[in-house]
């Protein structure tokens, strides 16, 4: 908008004045005058066109301290409704793209096989817990921490009990097994997430500090290890009894044994079982596409898959390390199941997205822009600039929805707080116990007014103690 005013009010009068002077000068040839004037006019028209044409990347701009959406040339631009102080700002309606299928029933029973990753899988987990809490679904929660010992280290079930013993959702770290089917309804949808084995290996190599475990003194311990991983891992049976942190680690969470290799009879049989059970495999490297595909599979709303758009890739000391070709081949042979699962999942993902058609990628591009706008402008905006209300108009892929800040809080809420809220709602014994305050944070269990009172009380007490200490010190000095 500033560009438009500058070109219109400043440059345009200057241009007109310059052309008049050129045309009225007598020491020039008429054709030269005309050519110069035409050139200047064309330059001005081009600058005005650029300044009036909205940026395809920046769809939403700040105008007079109010967030106002600007219509863009892209047909997927969402018209946004923003409210502030009971004033409405309505964007121009965008041309609607091909609509996705909406004539299906949302699925409420699902199991997320959370493979051991730090960032992307945690983001999916928080999305699922938010959905479960919003729709009053019963989530299987571990008794302690963020993962189950059941089916990984013990056969004893260590989930928190619920009233009727029936669960709708599993979203915490749990190794896949047929035993899960006995705890879940028959129409349960299973899905998981995988990361490229090399990226996953680098993260685990850093997290487990394997360069110290294997006493690798090289400046490039990753490539040094994969020169001969069998030599380094001779004694791993005593150190890593249950699973190995970088050998078929993702396959282990999906029920494979770390001692198996791709092509074994046990591996083939278990793979066929997984192929029948797991409906979709999300990919870390194609995160937004995976969420949109999950939304279509589950018949959910686009509001259900909004998330805090931080980086879903962990950065560590080995992130920029390039695995040499020979070492990568060695890693592929050593951790063959992980590579086979990822290659197969990537192939199926590509085939599915192509089968869906162009509308799928249009929806993905729309979702990226919408998710970024909702979080950075809608949520951050109403916090930093006191926006009390914002909404998103109906588009090809979702109905109209509004938010008064509750959605923003839910998007940023951590797994621990969701566990606390779900645990207190589902478990009567937990609500009655005296330790329930230990299980839940202040923002859930204590109203904000009481918190401020408590804070003021503790502050006054601490100030009183400080004044007493200062008075005693003064008395000592005076004496």
């Amino acid at each position: 908008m500033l560009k438009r005013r500058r070109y219109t009010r400043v440059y345009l009068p200057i241009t007109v004045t310059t052309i008049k002077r050129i045309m009225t000068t007598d020491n020039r040839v008429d054709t030269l005058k005309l050519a110069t004037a035409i050139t200047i006019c064309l330059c001005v028209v081009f600058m005005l066109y650029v300044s009036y044409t909205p940026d395809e990347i920046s769809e939403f701009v700040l105008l007079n301290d109010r967030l106002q959406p600007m219509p863009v040339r892209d047909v997927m631009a969402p018209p946004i409704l923003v409210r502030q102080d009971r004033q409405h700002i309505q964007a121009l309606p965008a041309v609607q793209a091909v609509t996705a299928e909406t004539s299906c029933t949302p699925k409420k029973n699902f199991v997320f096989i959370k493979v051991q990753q730090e960032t992307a899988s945690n983001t999916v987990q928080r999305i699922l817990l938010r959905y479960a809490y919003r729709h009053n679904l019963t989530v299987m929660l571990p008794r302690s921490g963020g993962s189950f010992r059941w089916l990984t280290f013990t056969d004893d079930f260590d989930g928190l009990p619920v009233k009727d013993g029936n669960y709708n959702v599993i979203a915490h770290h749990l190794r896949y097994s047929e035993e899960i089917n006995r705890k879940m309804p028959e129409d349960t949808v299973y899905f998981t997430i995988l990361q490229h084995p090399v990226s996953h290996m680098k993260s685990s190599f850093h997290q487990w500090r394997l360069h110290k475990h294997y006493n690798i003194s090289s400046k490039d311990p990753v490539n040094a290890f994969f020169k001969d991983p069998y030599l380094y891992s001779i004694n791993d049976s005593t150190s890593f009894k249950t699973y190995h942190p970088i050998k078929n680690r993702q396959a282990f969470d999906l029920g494979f044994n770390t001692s198996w290799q791709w092509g074994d009879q046990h591996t083939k049989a278990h793979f066929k079982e997984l192929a029948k059970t797991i409906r979709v495999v999300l990919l870390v490297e194609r995160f937004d596409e995976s969420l949109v595909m999950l939304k279509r599979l589950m018949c959910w709303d686009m509001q259900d898959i909004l998330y805090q758009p931080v980086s879903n890739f962990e950065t560590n000391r080995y992130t920029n390390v390039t695995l040499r070709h020979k070492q990568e081949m060695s890693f592929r042979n050593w951790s063959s199941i992980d590579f086979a699962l990822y290659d197969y999942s990537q192939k199926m993902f590509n085939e599915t997205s192509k089968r869906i058609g162009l509308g799928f990628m249009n929806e993905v591009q729309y979702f990226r822009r919408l998710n970024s706008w909702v979080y950075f402008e809608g949520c951050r905006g109403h916090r930093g600039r006191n926006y009390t209300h914002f909404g998103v108009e109906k588009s090809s892929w979702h109905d109209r929805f509004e938010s008064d800040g509750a959605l923003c809080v839910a998007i940023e809420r951590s797994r621990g707080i969701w566990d606390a809220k779900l645990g207190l709602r589902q478990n009567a014994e937990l609500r009655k116990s005296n330790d329930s305050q230990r299980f839940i944070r202040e923002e859930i269990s204590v109203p904000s007014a009481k918190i401020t009172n408590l804070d003021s009380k503790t502050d006054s007490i601490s100030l009183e103690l400080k004044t007493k200490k200062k008075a005693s010190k003064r008395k000592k000095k005076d004496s």
Side-chain angles (χ1 to χ4, degrees), residues 71-188:
V72 298
R73 287 175 291 179
D74 196 333
V75 297
M76 286 87 68
I80 304 292
L81 171 69
V82 181
R83 293 182 181 180
Q84 182 185 12
D85 300 331
R86 297 183 179 180
Q87 294 182 3
H88 295 69
I89 302 175
Q90 177 75 48
L92 297 177
V95 180
Q96 300 298 331
V98 181
T99 58
E101 294 182 3
T102 56
S103 60
C104 57
T105 304
K107 297 175 176 59
K108 301 296 179 68
N109 299 318
F110 54 89
V111 172
F112 174 51
I113 306 299
K114 187 178 182 296
V115 175
Q116 192 66 38
Q117 298 160 356
E118 292 301 321
T119 310
S121 63
N122 291 344
T123 302
V124 176
Q125 182 188 45
R126 288 161 58 191
I127 291 173
L128 300 179
L129 294 177
R130 185 179 83 227
Y131 182 87
Y133 190 85
R134 179 188 176 193
H135 295 276
N136 199 25
L137 305 179
T138 303
V139 180
M140 183 186 293
L141 298 172
R143 289 185 178 273
S144 60
S147 59
F148 292 92
R149 295 183 59 84
W150 176 50
L151 301 179
T152 304
F153 303 102
T154 179
D155 294 333
D156 299 329
F157 179 68
D158 61 339
L160 286 174
V162 292
K163 184 176 180 181
D164 55 0
N166 297 323
Y167 299 97
N168 302 111
V169 177
I170 297 178
H172 292 71
H173 184 253
L174 176 66
R175 190 186 183 198
Y176 173 79
S177 174
E178 292 182 355
E179 293 293 326
I180 300 176
N181 300 333
R182 301 178 183 178
K183 297 283 185 180
M184 299 300 294
E186 294 183 358
D187 61 344
T188 299

Side-chain angles (χ1 to χ4, degrees), residues 41-55:
C41 290
L42 290 175
C43 292
V44 171
V45 170
F46 176 76
M47 287 188 293
L48 289 173
Y49 172 77
V50 173
S51 64
Y52 275 91
T53 302
D55 190 358

Side-chain angles (χ1 to χ4, degrees), residues 130-403:
R130 185 179 83 227
Y131 182 87
Y133 190 85
R134 179 188 176 193
H135 295 276
N136 199 25
L137 305 179
T138 303
V139 180
M140 183 186 293
L141 298 172
R143 289 185 178 273
S144 60
S147 59
F148 292 92
R149 295 183 59 84
W150 176 50
L151 301 179
T152 304
F153 303 102
T154 179
D155 294 333
D156 299 329
F157 179 68
D158 61 339
L160 286 174
V162 292
K163 184 176 180 181
D164 55 0
N166 297 323
Y167 299 97
N168 302 111
V169 177
I170 297 178
H172 292 71
H173 184 253
L174 176 66
R175 190 186 183 198
Y176 173 79
S177 174
E178 292 182 355
E179 293 293 326
I180 300 176
N181 300 333
R182 301 178 183 178
K183 297 283 185 180
M184 299 300 294
E186 294 183 358
D187 61 344
T188 299
V189 179
Y190 289 77
F191 54 93
T192 186
I193 185 169
L194 291 178
Q195 187 179 14
H196 193 282
V198 174
S199 301
H200 189 269
M201 176 272 297
K202 292 178 182 178
S203 177
S204 299
F205 209 99
H206 170 78
Q207 183 181 357
W208 288 78
R209 299 182 178 181
L210 294 182
H211 64 290
K212 292 185 177 180
H213 174 77
Y214 292 114
N215 295 321
I216 303 175
S217 58
S218 173
K219 293 182 179 180
D220 189 356
V222 174
N223 280 289
F225 176 84
F226 285 107
K227 282 184 179 180
D228 192 352
Y230 297 96
L231 179 62
Y232 280 103
S233 58
I234 290 176
N235 300 321
D236 279 350
S237 58
T238 57
S239 303
F240 307 113
K241 296 181 180 180
T242 307
Y243 58 84
H244 197 282
I246 59 175
K247 182 182 180 181
N248 292 324
R249 181 63 184 89
Q250 299 181 94
F252 175 82
D253 287 333
L254 293 174
F256 292 89
N257 194 308
T258 53
S259 62
W260 295 351
Q261 289 294 330
W262 186 252
D264 297 344
Q265 293 183 355
H266 298 289
T267 306
K268 291 180 180 180
H270 189 69
F271 175 77
K272 289 181 180 180
E273 179 188 343
L274 280 178
K276 294 179 181 178
T277 305
I278 296 181
R279 295 285 303 276
V280 66
V281 178
L282 314 181
L283 300 178
V284 175
E285 289 76 13
R286 301 172 69 174
F287 191 71
D288 291 333
E289 295 176 58
S290 299
L291 289 181
V292 173
M293 191 172 292
L294 179 66
K295 163 190 167 290
R296 290 196 172 199
L297 170 69
M298 304 298 289
C299 297
W300 290 353
D301 297 329
M302 191 163 285
Q303 184 181 355
D304 297 327
I305 60 172
L306 295 174
Y307 68 95
Q308 188 176 1
V310 296
S311 175
N312 291 296
F313 299 93
E314 268 190 275
T315 56
N316 53 72
R317 60 182 296 183
Y318 305 114
T319 301
N320 297 324
V321 173
T322 302
L323 203 62
R324 301 188 187 100
H325 179 73
K326 185 177 179 180
Q327 276 78 347
E328 184 175 351
M329 292 299 102
S330 177
F331 183 32
R332 279 183 171 272
N333 294 330
W334 191 61
S335 186
S336 58
I337 303 179
D338 267 8
F339 277 94
L341 289 177
Y342 186 84
D343 293 342
Y344 176 80
S345 301
Q346 191 177 37
K347 178 183 176 182
M348 297 303 297
F349 194 97
N350 292 333
E351 292 180 358
T352 303
S353 60
K354 288 181 181 178
R355 187 167 59 251
I356 294 175
L358 181 62
F360 174 71
M361 290 310 301
N362 290 345
E363 185 177 2
V364 172
Q365 294 174 14
Y366 174 90
F367 170 68
R368 285 173 180 157
R369 295 197 303 271
L370 176 66
N371 187 67
S372 178
W373 184 89
V374 166
Y375 184 75
F376 289 112
E377 298 295 346
C379 294
R380 293 294 184 182
H382 92 268
R383 287 186 171 188
R385 309 184 194 94
N386 296 321
Y387 287 111
T388 58
H389 197 114
F390 74 88
V392 180
E393 285 296 324
K394 181 179 180 181
S395 75
S396 302
W397 300 285
H398 63 79
D399 294 328
R400 182 182 185 276
F401 67 87
E402 300 182 13
S403 174

